Amino acid sequence: MLDDLQRGESLFDPAAYAGVRRPLEEAETLPPHCYTSEAFYQREVKRIFMKVWNFVGRADRIPNPGDFFTLDFAGIPTIIVRAQNGQVRAHANSCRHRGALVALGEGNCRAFKCPYHSWVYGLDGNLIGAPEIDRTKHFAFEQYGLVPVRLETWGGFMFMSYDPDAAPLSDWLGDLPEKLGSYGFDDMVCTRRKEYVLECNWKVYVENAMEAYHVATVHRSTLQKQKGRMAEQQETKGEWIALWKEHEGSRALLTGDVGFPFIAGLKDQAATGSWYPLIYPSTMFGATKDCMWWLEMHPISVSQTRLIVGSCFPKATAARDDFEVVVQRYYKRWDISIPEDNDISAIQQKGLSSPLARTGRLTYLEPLVHDLGNWVLDRVLD
Ligand code: FES
Ligand SMILES: [Fe+2]
C-alpha cells in the first residue's frame, strides 16, 4: 500500500498510474502526490498551461481601447489589453530592457511605461520609447516589443495560449460552439465577476465541479433541494467534456426563488435542461435557461488556485428595470454554493497532503473525474 513515490518509482513513469488508466468501474483515483508534488505541478505548467488555450474571462471587461488588466497565470505575468484598433491582445508582462513588470493591476492607459527606466510600449506591444538608447549600438526598436501571447475569442470569451504553435482556438473548442450556440453568449453581458483564492490544487476544484456525487452532502441544505434527473455525460468533440441535466426552471436560483424570463431561442437540450461543460483544463460553464456562469481557474501554486466566478445574462435581461433587484437572487445562490465547494476543497487538499494519504477508488457518479485524471496523465507522463 505504499505510495508510488515511496516505492521509488519515477514520478512520470506511466507504469505507476496503471490504476488510473483502467475503466471507471475498476479505476483508481489519481495518487495524492498529483495534487501535492511540486515536480508534478511544474510538469503540468510546462506541458498543460503553457500549451493549451487558457480561458481568461470576458472581453466586455475591457470595452475601450487602452483598457487593460494584468494577471499572473500559473506564475506567468501577462497583460490583456484592448488595442487601438479595438482588438483584444495579450502580451508577456516583462520589460525587454531588464525584465520588470511594465503594467500593474488594471485600468486604462495610452501606452505601457515601464516603472523602472521608462521604456514605453504601445498597446499593440511595440516598443515606442527607450530613454538614452541612442548610444546603444545596433539597437532596433522593432526587435524589442513585448513578447506576444496569442489571444482568440469565442462568444465574447477570451482564451490565450502561450504556445506560438498551438492549433487555433476553434480546434480546441471542437463542437462546443455548435452544441451551446443557442444560448447566444455573444449577446450576453457579464454583470458580476468575483474572485476567490482557493487553498487547493486546481484539479481538486475542477473535479468537484464535475461531479454531482458531493451535492447531497456538501450542498444538502442548498442545491440538493433542486429537483431533477441525474446529470448525464454528453458526447463531445474537442478539448471539452460535459454533463447535461434535465430539469424544470433555472439552475441558477435556489428553490422557491423566481427569476428572469428564459433566454430567447434556446434549442434542443438547452431548452429542457442545463449544460455543464468543462473546457480543458480548468474552465467550467453552467449554462442554464436564463443565464450562464463560469468558473475560471488560474493556478497559483501546487496548493493554491485563483477562482474567478463570472455571471452573464442576455443583454435584454440586464436592461430590465427590475434587473438589479431580481439578480440578487442569483448572486445569493452562487454566494452560498460556491463557498461550500471552496471549503470542502480546502479540506480535501489538507487530507491529500498527508504522508498517509493513499490512492482511492471512484463511483459510477464520477466519470468526469476519471476523464480529467486521464487527460492530465496523457499530457504529463513520459
Ligand atoms: S526594466 Fe523596464 S525600462 Fe528598465
Ligand atoms: Fe459543489
Side-chain angles (χ1 to χ4, degrees), residues 95 97-100 114 116-119:
C95 183
H97 175 221
R98 280 164 49 203
C114 180
Y116 203 171
H117 314 91
S118 289
W119 283 28

Side-chain angles (χ1 to χ4, degrees), residues 208-216 224 231 243 245 365:
N208 169 281
M210 296 318 291
E211 53 93 344
Y213 186 32
H214 73 279
V215 172
Q224 174 64 7
L243 292 172
K245 189 178 163 104
L365 292 169

